[in-house]
Amino acid sequence: MRFDLSRPFDLAMAMSPDLFLFVGAMALLLWSAIGRDGAAHQRRIGVAAIAVAAATLLLVVAASTRGWSAGPGIVAVDGFRWAADLVFLVGAIIAIAMSLDYNAREAIFAAEAHVLILLATGGMMLMVASRDLMMLFLGIETMSIAVYILTGIDRRSPRAAEGALKYFLLGAFSTAFFLYGIALIYGATGATNFQVISERIVALKLEQTPMLLVGVALLLVGFGFKMAAAPFHMWAPDVYEGAPTPITAFMAASVKAAAFAAFLRVWLAALGGVYAQWHDAIWWLSAITMCVGNIVALQQRNLKRMIAYSSVGHTGFILVAVASGTTQSAAAFLFYLVAYTFAIMGAFAVIVALGSPGAPRERIDDYNGLWFVRPGMAIAMAVFMLAMLGFPVFGGMGFFAKWYVLQAALQASAPQTRLAVLLVLTTTISAGYYLYVVMAMFMKPRPEGADQLPPTNGLSRFIIAASAGIILIFGVFPDPVARWTRTGVDLVPLAPQVEPNFTQSAVAR
Amino acid sequence: MLLQTAAVASTGHSLQGSVAEWIWLVPVLPLIGFLINGWLSLRAVGHVGPADPSGEEHGHGHTDDAHHDAHDDGHQATRHPSASIVSVVGPTVLILAFLLAVAIFAALAAAQPDAPFVKQLFTWMVAGDFRVDAAFQVDQLSMVMVLVITGVGALIHVFSVGYMRDDPGYPRYFAYLNLFVFFMLVLVLGASYPVLFVGWEGVGLCSYLLIGFWFTDKVNADAGKKAFVVNRIGDFGFLIAMFLLFANLGTLDFSGVNAAAPALGAGSALVTVICLLLFLGCAGKSAQIPLYVWLPDAMAGPTPVSALIHAATMVTAGVYLVARSAALFSMAPAASLTVALVGGLTALFAATIGLKQWDIKKVLAYSTVSQLGYMFVGVGVGAYAAGIFHLVTHAFFKALLFLGSGSVIYAMHQAYHHTGSHEDAQDMRNMGGLKQFMPVTFVLMWIATLAIAGIPPFAGFFSKDEILGAVFARTHGSTLADAQWFGIPGSAVLYAVWVFGLAAALLTAIYMTRMMLYTFHGPNRSGEREREHLHEAPWIMTGPLVALGVLSAVGGWLNLPAFFPAGPIQALHHWLEPVSGDAALQVTHGAEAHMTATTEYTLVGIAVAIAVAGIAIAFARLKPAALVPKAEAPEAEGFERVLEHKYYVDEIYDRIVVRPIESGSRGILWRGLDAGIIDGLFVNGSAYLARGFGWLGARLQTGRTGTYAWVLVIGVIAVLSAFSLR
């Protein structure tokens, strides 16, 4: 079915999963305001929020099998959108499920916390659906404001307050750049629609226009902040450390994934025509991000901070896929997001599961000898670490994620050989901190007098086991996911101008 | 594209929709057995390993086993709590797999397709142009192998119930054994080299685990390690051969390779190298010169393991691989001649060592190496059906010999156990005269001995004769005879191989008769008190022996020669024609290898005369009455001593390969390269460097929002300049 987006009904159909999620979130918000704050109310709202997210997930799955498409307009109806939506929703469900226990344990009785996760997810879905800069901005702000609040949802924690304020201030700062970038692009092209922008760039020969290029650069800064690409990553460690752990997981996985997905669409659909112009900037951004994230992570002794820096490193890896700028790299990018989401979520789920009130157990030393007391947890954590490292077999999907990105980088019409080499080198460096965690868990003795670890409840165990299982199973049989990501990106409207420019840039490089 | 043609060919296959669709269940059944038994083994954590580190309770077939009076009743005490479930699960999965295999075999026999039926299970991996499906191939060759593996395997599993039941590691034993069968079936059913390789490595793993089954004894663990390491050398060759095949043909599945093989060019250097590398893999797995040394040591495992893995199935994988790659080998005469020559030399060499071994299992081990040599002679000269024929009959009679020896060792062990003696239960000098105590085993072992010695009408006669006849027939008018092998005419090489084969046949008859004489004939040397306790093994052990005895006696009917018209002529030969018939014809220039009736009768006459002569020599020269028990035996002298020490090959390998590698690894690779350069300079050096940068980065992370904003602005300036400076 092909929607005519100028008709309200068609537009509503095209947005039906998003609308459903928002309506559900609003209803839950009202409900959460009626009840008395408390553990039971918090849990009720959380379960309902999971139900809303799961129903949206089913809607997205149903929508993706319908073969819908759309004419010109502000939203995209394609496989890429549905695929990205699935990643966000799975992330949201896991994050809410983790929050249920975490919030009860830490006495965070604000029931709206779960609703805010839904609202942020709705913002993400808008971001990946948008084919218009204004709509994109709307989505980003919806997501960001929800996440600012989530960071500081633990009102009694000074660290959380500090993180939330920093995140908000710096976020506002970068939003200014983002908006200014949009304004300049509009000034240069007279349009905010991706399709129109890309057509005008060619038709009006705008490739060298300073106004457009400055606009693109500022837009890149805005995205760089959301993706935590170096040097716009400085907020990430503090915010990740301060936020409640389930929210950190949500930020590290879903928020990032949303920024990436929107970024990929803008860059390939709207700005494909100026590939040669933005390629260098992205190249450097990617290279610096890989180095900074992975090298600074070596210094960290707090697991949450370490994963924060490692996620900066992953931003660099994913940017390699963007720099390659082909359909194949877009598929690799989606695969990476899936693998990365499960690995990050799983790792944080282990951190949540092992913490207890007053003893968050976020230092790597707290994991010494985990194998001897909690062999299952140690194995799962090892799988997540190895997946992030990209280790074959035991790292499951993580290996293929890196492999597909490398393959895409080397098989692009302008091969990104140097980036590929850098990716491998920085991955080797990252082994220094990922394997350190594995080593601590399996080879160091459990310290004398270490406190008893809390029992893990069924839900956490299920999340951890399912994440590890998915990573391992699709690590042995990556084909179904790889095929799914390929069908997802076939529908990304790559700007027709992309291809010729590759040869030009190959000469330039 | 070749994959697609293969896929298209299989879509309209006559076996589609038949019971052959269920082929995946044949390997899955033992896998289920592995999971159940493995779970049972892990559940009782105390029973994961040998319960008693001093090694008292376990080894029936275990050299230097210690026996304590205090543990007279120890068997009952250490029996695993889940033993009864394991006894049912372990053999049952094999029997079910065998029944299913028979049904599929029947369907295949009814359809008689020319092309293999490929059952695609799922796409295993895709990387660029490289694509491997997890697919099983049902064809005449793979089904013969499946029947042997599941059939003989089921018998050996049943035997194991009696032999191993009292071992504390009983579930673990059956878990490994089931897993082995799973991998072995993957090996023979795989429709491509990579899938075959999965099975190939899997059986290697199980072999390692089972050789070192009683791993608390370092000798056993070392034997397992040796098998593993020696096999790695061969696997290296196999892997390179696969890479070469893929690089040149772009495909690795059998139908694709067979279809594309002519592109390599008959007799070209490339195809020769590929075949030689493949054969290196075979030499490792099937214990041929120079990589045979692991197999005799592998006898450290339980005796049924020796029968199943190290005689009937796994070690024949190399023969299967050559037959499977017949299309390649038939194009590489030089490589085929190498295979035949190495096979012939191994057959002779191992047979001479077998002459002077005292350990009953060592005799059989060298005999296995020797018989594997025969099989390689068969497939080497392009008589692929003959090689497979010998593989099948050998599986029957060698499994029987091993299980029979297991039954003997079991009896000896029980006897020693009762009296608390510390004698060696496997040394033939401690046996003698067992025929009066174990009449069933005695008769069956003689059937197997006559079979392996080549006395008509037992199974071994027909298969061995077919191989020797094939060698002789190809000395003229074949691509092999016309080819040059390092400047030597191919026909000369073939004559040499034939002579080696005949000499080995003579020695085989001698050492097998020697083994029988010393074990079952003459006076008993096991000791007064022990004699009372010697008796036949229970029926759960002798039952499989009887079945194997029948097969050893009549197995030759599978492929009767034309001069022996007592049934279907050349049945196996015709059966395998769709698989290796073309390749075999290519070796003989398109015509069936043919000999005149006179030549054929002469050859058969020579073969029988040699076998009879061997047995007669053994009876005339060897006097069991003159033997003394092991403890009182004098040292051998002269050449006998060389033979007893297996030509000192292990010592030579140790001196020229193992020790230089060890000292080189220790001195240069470990201390110099690893600890010095890699650890010192690269690992620690780069770690310090990275830490240094990390420290800088961490210092920059002041926690002040103002600093962060500044860095952000610097980033903005950098990005803007990246855009404007180009």
Side-chain angles (χ1 to χ4, degrees):
Chain A
M1 184 174 175
R2 191 174 169 83
F3 295 119
D4 177 3
L5 295 179
S6 57
R7 299 209 323 241
F9 177 76
D10 280 19
L11 186 60
M13 279 301 286
M15 297 299 293
S16 49
D18 313 58
L19 288 173
F20 177 83
L21 182 66
F22 275 116
V23 170
M26 290 301 169
L28 283 182
L29 199 58
L30 290 177
W31 184 14
S32 71
I34 300 170
R36 271 197 33 231
D37 273 4
H41 189 55
Q42 180 268 126
R43 177 166 288 273
R44 247 192 323 268
I45 298 290
V47 171
I50 291 179
V52 170
T56 316
L57 190 95
L58 290 180
L59 275 180
V60 169
V61 170
S64 68
T65 54
R66 286 292 168 82
W68 284 349
S69 64
I74 59 166
V75 294
V77 181
D78 56 22
F80 184 71
R81 175 183 161 194
W82 307 131
D85 280 355
L86 286 182
V87 175
F88 307 151
L89 286 165
V90 168
I93 291 172
I94 299 180
I96 298 174
M98 276 156 68
S99 297
L100 285 180
D101 290 317
Y102 184 88
N103 290 5
R105 191 170 81 205
E106 302 290 327
I108 304 170
F109 294 136
E112 62 271 22
H114 305 302
V115 185
L116 284 167
I117 293 182
L118 285 188
L119 288 172
T121 311
M124 295 172 195
M125 290 170 64
L126 288 186
M127 283 165 72
V128 73
S130 57
R131 271 199 303 193
D132 190 288
L133 289 173
M134 298 319 294
M135 167 102 169
L136 173 66
F137 186 71
L138 184 72
I140 287 185
E141 286 307 294
T142 310
M143 172 187 84
S144 298
I145 291 169
V147 177
Y148 297 152
I149 302 170
L150 281 170
T151 309
I153 198 82
D154 188 358
R155 274 168 297 197
R156 278 152 305 158
S157 159
R159 298 178 69 92
E162 178 195 333
L165 194 63
K166 268 184 195 165
Y167 193 20
F168 174 67
L169 285 177
L170 292 168
F173 196 37
S174 77
T175 302
F177 287 107
F178 192 87
L179 265 183
Y180 195 21
I182 292 180
L184 288 175
I185 292 175
Y186 177 71
T189 61
T192 54
N193 187 291
F194 296 171
Q195 186 70 34
V196 182
I197 290 174
S198 104
E199 283 163 14
R200 297 232 171 118
I201 287 175
V202 180
L204 305 175
K205 298 205 168 34
L206 294 173
E207 288 93 347
Q208 301 296 340
T209 314
M211 191 195 275
L212 176 70
L213 294 185
V214 172
V216 173
L218 295 180
L219 205 58
L220 179 60
V221 171
F223 271 117
F225 179 84
K226 292 292 171 215
M227 298 184 296
F232 312 110
H233 69 288
M234 303 288 283
W235 59 274
D238 292 4
V239 174
Y240 282 15
E241 194 188 348
T245 311
I247 303 305
T248 310
F250 184 62
M251 279 195 282
S254 296
V255 173
K256 241 174 186 206
F260 276 125
F263 180 67
L264 190 76
R265 194 192 285 282
V266 175
W267 247 248
L268 296 184
L271 305 173
V274 283
Y275 174 87
Q277 278 72 31
W278 55 253
H279 173 263
D280 277 12
I282 302 239
W283 196 97
W284 280 106
L285 206 58
S286 164
I288 294 171
T289 308
M290 283 194 277
C291 292
V292 168
N294 286 310
I295 290 176
V296 181
L298 284 174
Q299 275 289 316
Q300 307 305 321
R301 285 295 165 264
N302 177 302
L303 203 53
K304 275 168 85 176
R305 268 186 104 79
M306 189 203 92
I307 297 180
Y309 277 109
S310 103
S311 85
V312 172
H314 284 290
T315 302
F317 297 147
I318 294 178
L319 281 174
V320 173
V322 180
S324 317
T326 55
T327 332
Q328 189 189 2
S329 69
F333 159 90
L334 268 180
F335 191 96
Y336 204 106
L337 280 193
V338 175
Y340 170 78
T341 300
F342 281 112
I344 283 273
M345 283 293 181
F348 278 113
V350 172
I351 297 177
V352 171
L354 294 182
S356 45
R361 296 203 183 83
E362 289 166 3
R363 287 176 311 129
I364 298 179
D365 291 345
D366 293 328
Y367 287 76
N368 286 354
L370 184 66
W371 161 251
F372 302 105
V373 284
R374 284 295 182 79
M377 284 289 173
I379 289 175
M381 193 64 165
V383 168
F384 301 135
M385 289 294 141
L386 293 174
M388 284 197 254
L389 172 58
F391 198 86
V393 183
F394 303 104
M397 285 175 87
F399 168 74
F400 283 98
K402 283 225 169 77
W403 168 254
Y404 289 140
V405 168
L406 273 177
Q407 208 181 21
L410 293 175
Q411 291 179 351
S413 29
Q416 308 293 325
T417 316
R418 277 181 285 176
L419 273 186
V421 170
L422 202 58
L423 192 158
V424 172
L425 281 179
T426 48
T427 300
T428 317
I429 292 175
S430 73
Y433 56 90
Y434 290 130
L435 292 185
Y436 181 77
V437 177
V438 178
M439 190 270 283
M441 290 190 301
F442 286 87
M443 291 160 79
K444 285 198 177 175
R446 191 81 190 146
E448 292 286 328
D451 350 325
Q452 199 71 28
L453 292 171
T456 316
N457 67 19
L459 186 62
S460 309
R461 222 178 297 161
F462 173 75
I463 294 172
I464 294 166
S467 304
I470 287 171
I471 288 174
L472 288 177
I473 290 170
F474 290 119
V476 182
F477 309 108
D479 205 49
V481 181
R483 216 172 322 128
W484 174 70
T485 55
R486 275 197 295 274
T487 55
V489 294
D490 279 347
L491 298 168
V492 176
L494 286 178
Q497 293 77 18
V498 170
E499 295 299 330
N501 269 315
F502 281 126
T503 42
Q504 181 192 333
S505 101
V507 175
R509 276 231 66 78
Chain B
M1 56 274 118
L2 291 162
L3 283 161
Q4 281 152 5
T5 47
V8 168
S10 71
T11 47
H13 200 273
S14 52
L15 280 175
Q16 193 147 39
S18 74
V19 66
E21 295 275 356
W22 288 84
I23 188 69
W24 57 271
L25 190 58
V26 177
V28 165
L29 278 166
L31 186 64
I32 294 171
F34 160 69
L35 292 176
I36 296 175
N37 290 329
W39 181 69
L40 288 174
S41 166
L42 283 177
R43 208 182 47 151
V45 174
H47 292 279
V48 172
D52 192 342
S54 62
E56 276 149 51
E57 299 308 330
H58 42 72
H60 303 305
H62 183 199
T63 332
D64 298 329
D65 215 355
H67 311 275
H68 281 246
D69 295 10
H71 286 268
D72 259 353
D73 225 356
H75 280 306
Q76 291 303 324
T78 55
R79 187 178 281 190
H80 194 279
S82 333
S84 46
I85 312 174
V86 175
S87 304
V88 176
V89 173
T92 306
V93 288
L94 256 277
I95 293 167
L96 290 177
F98 175 67
L99 294 177
L100 181 58
V102 168
I104 296 173
F105 183 83
L108 184 72
Q112 277 295 353
D114 284 335
F117 170 68
V118 176
K119 173 75 183 163
Q120 306 267 350
L121 300 177
F122 53 88
T123 302
W124 181 22
M125 51 180 156
V126 180
D129 301 335
F130 181 62
R131 172 197 165 98
V132 182
D133 287 321
F136 287 151
Q137 172 163 345
V138 177
D139 67 4
Q140 286 80 355
L141 177 58
S142 64
M143 284 320 291
V144 168
M145 295 296 292
V146 168
L147 282 184
V148 170
I149 294 161
T150 52
V152 176
L155 292 173
I156 293 173
H157 274 64
V158 172
F159 181 90
S160 295
V161 170
Y163 194 85
M164 294 295 289
R165 191 164 38 201
D166 294 330
D167 194 280
Y170 187 58
R172 186 168 58 98
Y173 170 82
F174 262 107
Y176 290 164
L177 211 59
N178 284 160
L179 185 67
F180 166 78
V181 176
F182 163 72
F183 277 123
M184 191 67 209
L185 288 168
V186 169
L187 194 163
V188 298
L189 281 172
S192 63
Y193 284 100
V195 178
L196 184 152
F197 193 69
V198 169
W200 185 274
E201 289 300 297
V203 292
L205 168 72
C206 296
S207 159
Y208 162 78
L209 290 171
L210 283 163
I211 294 170
F213 183 72
W214 292 307
F215 53 78
T216 44
D217 195 337
K218 190 166 182 308
V219 180
N220 302 340
D222 284 347
K225 246 187 310 189
K226 185 173 179 182
F228 209 73
V229 172
V230 173
N231 267 297
R232 286 286 81 64
I233 301 172
D235 295 346
F236 166 76
F238 189 4
L239 275 174
I240 304 276
M242 276 204 283
F243 296 154
L244 282 176
L245 276 177
F246 178 69
N248 289 289
L249 299 180
T251 175
L252 279 178
D253 59 357
F254 296 133
S255 353
V257 168
N258 284 352
L264 292 172
S268 67
L270 179 63
V271 73
T272 308
V273 167
I274 290 176
C275 289
L276 285 177
L277 286 168
L278 280 178
F279 179 61
L280 182 61
C282 301
K285 185 75 46 191
S286 296
Q288 296 297 291
I289 292 175
L291 300 180
Y292 71 91
V293 286
W294 66 270
L295 184 57
D297 285 25
M299 297 301 134
T303 306
V305 169
S306 309
L308 178 61
I309 302 185
H310 304 120
T313 55
M314 183 187 84
V315 290
T316 61
V319 182
Y320 167 78
L321 180 60
V322 176
R324 186 49 92 195
S325 314
L328 295 172
F329 277 90
S330 65
M331 294 198 318
S336 291
L337 282 172
T338 312
V339 175
L341 190 61
V342 170
L345 273 175
T346 309
L348 182 60
F349 182 77
T352 56
I353 300 177
L355 286 175
K356 271 316 271 187
Q357 294 304 307
W358 291 113
D359 185 319
I360 186 168
K361 282 182 73 181
K362 284 276 163 71
V363 177
L364 292 174
Y366 281 103
S367 156
T368 306
V369 175
S370 170
Q371 296 300 312
L372 288 166
Y374 269 111
M375 295 175 211
F376 277 107
V377 169
V379 292
V381 299
Y384 303 106
I388 296 296
F389 182 31
H390 196 55
L391 187 162
V392 174
T393 57
H394 177 256
F396 297 153
F397 58 68
K398 190 51 71 63
L400 173 54
L401 284 168
F402 264 115
L403 294 187
S405 80
S407 166
V408 167
I409 295 165
Y410 182 81
M412 291 290 294
H413 182 87
Q414 294 279 18
Y416 282 142
H417 195 84
H418 276 290
T419 60
S421 168
H422 291 257
E423 286 297 334
D424 186 346
Q426 296 184 193
D427 197 296
M428 294 191 293
R429 285 170 292 196
N430 294 338
M431 299 175 184
L434 291 181
K435 67 178 171 188
Q436 47 192 328
F437 306 106
M438 323 181 63
V440 181
T441 310
F442 166 69
V443 172
L444 292 167
M445 289 276 274
W446 258 116
I447 292 177
T449 301
L450 293 177
I452 192 174
I455 301 293
F458 297 102
F461 161 73
F462 295 103
S463 54
K464 197 185 279 186
D465 182 64
E466 173 133 354
I467 288 173
L468 290 176
V471 178
F472 195 82
R474 281 162 182 73
T475 53
H476 292 290
S478 70
T479 53
L480 299 178
D482 305 339
Q484 294 278 317
W485 190 82
F486 290 109
I488 306 169
S491 51
V493 174
L494 288 176
Y495 275 119
V497 170
W498 185 66
V499 172
F500 291 156
L502 284 182
L506 177 72
L507 296 179
T508 305
I510 297 177
Y511 70 70
M512 286 311 298
T513 314
R514 168 178 176 268
M515 186 196 91
M516 294 304 294
L517 283 175
Y518 286 167
T519 308
F520 290 101
H521 295 258
N524 180 271
R525 296 177 294 276
S526 49
E528 284 295 330
R529 294 200 303 135
E530 285 79 6
R531 205 161 297 151
E532 301 161 17
H533 297 288
L534 284 172
H535 51 77
E536 190 69 76
W539 267 104
I540 192 138
M541 288 163 71
T542 41
L545 288 185
V546 172
L548 286 169
V550 173
L551 289 170
S552 300
V554 304
W557 261 256
L558 285 174
N559 200 27
L560 286 177
F563 64 81
F564 199 92
I569 301 298
Q570 301 265 331
L572 188 70
H573 183 88
H574 293 304
W575 170 257
L576 289 175
E577 242 165 26
V579 181
S580 58
D582 291 345
L585 284 181
Q586 187 174 351
V587 172
T588 51
H589 292 312
E592 286 278 351
H594 193 70
M595 288 181 291
T596 59
T598 334
T599 327
E600 201 156 348
Y601 280 115
T602 318
L603 286 178
V604 172
I606 294 174
V608 175
I610 280 179
V612 173
I615 295 174
I617 291 171
F619 266 102
R621 291 287 307 274
L622 301 172
K623 295 286 170 255
L627 265 188
V628 286
K630 182 189 182 185
E632 303 150 36
E635 276 287 301
E637 281 173 4
F639 190 58
E640 288 192 354
R641 192 187 165 112
V642 177
L643 286 183
E644 202 169 314
H645 286 92
K646 305 161 260 177
Y647 293 102
Y648 297 99
V649 170
D650 277 327
E651 285 78 1
I652 295 170
Y653 279 7
D654 189 58
R655 200 57 63 78
I656 64 170
V657 182
V658 179
R659 278 199 225 167
I661 290 182
E662 238 174 27
S663 58
S665 309
R666 204 188 305 272
I668 302 168
L669 291 177
W670 175 37
R671 294 231 172 85
L673 200 64
D674 194 37
I677 297 178
I678 295 181
D679 276 1
L681 199 62
F682 292 148
V683 177
N684 290 338
S686 63
Y688 285 129
L689 198 68
R691 287 262 180 81
F693 279 117
W695 182 82
L696 264 183
R699 288 289 82 73
L700 210 56
Q701 192 83 31
T702 55
R704 298 164 66 100
T705 316
T707 319
Y708 296 179
W710 265 108
V711 174
L712 210 157
V713 170
I714 294 171
V716 174
I717 296 169
V719 169
L720 280 173
S721 43
F723 270 83
S724 48
L725 286 183
R726 41 169 299 110

